[in-house]
């Protein structure tokens, strides 16, 4: 398959991909937020060092997901998916920034 054929196929799948991206981002951001505040039992931190490590890991996952999605959707020309990604990841990014400044 040529690169142009792959690009056209990605453009045709833009609308369904935008819905999936939005749902996935909302679920991921909820889990990462609970991970940052220690609300998930699997990430229940007992020491300050573990709390810091959980917050740092959640931040790294969030940042990689944000940057990776922006690069992927812009390279593939998936405009709806790109704007959906920005719309669902920007408010949690602001919340994480506020929480980071308060700690």
């Amino acid at each position: 398959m040529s690169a142009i054929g792959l690009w056209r196929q990605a453009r045709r799948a833009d609308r369904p991909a935008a819905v999936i991206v939005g749902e996935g981002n909302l679920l991921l951001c909820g889990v990462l937020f609970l991970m940052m505040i220690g609300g998930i039992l699997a990430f229940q931190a007992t020491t300050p060092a573990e709390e810091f490590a959980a917050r740092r890991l959640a931040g790294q996952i969030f940042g990689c997901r944000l940057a990776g999605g922006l690069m992927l959707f812009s390279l593939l020309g998936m405009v709806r998916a790109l704007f959906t990604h920005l719309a669902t990841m920007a408010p949690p990014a602001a919340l994480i920034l506020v929480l980071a400044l308060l700690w």
Side-chain angles (χ1 to χ4, degrees):
M1 176 178 276
S2 68
I4 294 173
L6 179 65
W7 186 76
R8 284 184 185 156
Q9 198 172 16
R11 295 273 302 176
R12 274 187 254 129
D14 190 18
R15 188 171 300 212
V19 173
I20 293 168
V21 165
E23 291 172 356
N25 284 346
L26 290 176
L27 289 172
L28 179 72
C29 287
V31 169
L32 290 178
F33 179 70
L34 288 173
M35 185 176 163
M36 283 188 78
I37 63 172
I40 297 178
L41 294 177
F43 295 104
Q44 197 70 29
T46 56
T47 65
E50 289 176 349
E51 288 177 7
F52 178 73
R55 267 189 235 123
R56 185 171 180 199
L57 178 62
Q60 287 175 345
I61 292 170
F62 183 83
C64 290
R65 170 78 178 214
L66 178 62
L70 291 177
M71 285 191 317
L72 177 69
F73 299 133
S74 62
L75 287 175
L76 290 176
M78 300 175 79
V79 179
R80 285 185 188 97
L82 177 67
F83 285 126
T84 302
H85 185 66
L86 279 174
T88 55
M89 294 292 273
L95 181 62
I96 289 171
L97 183 65
V98 168
L99 287 175
L101 291 175
L102 290 177
W103 269 313

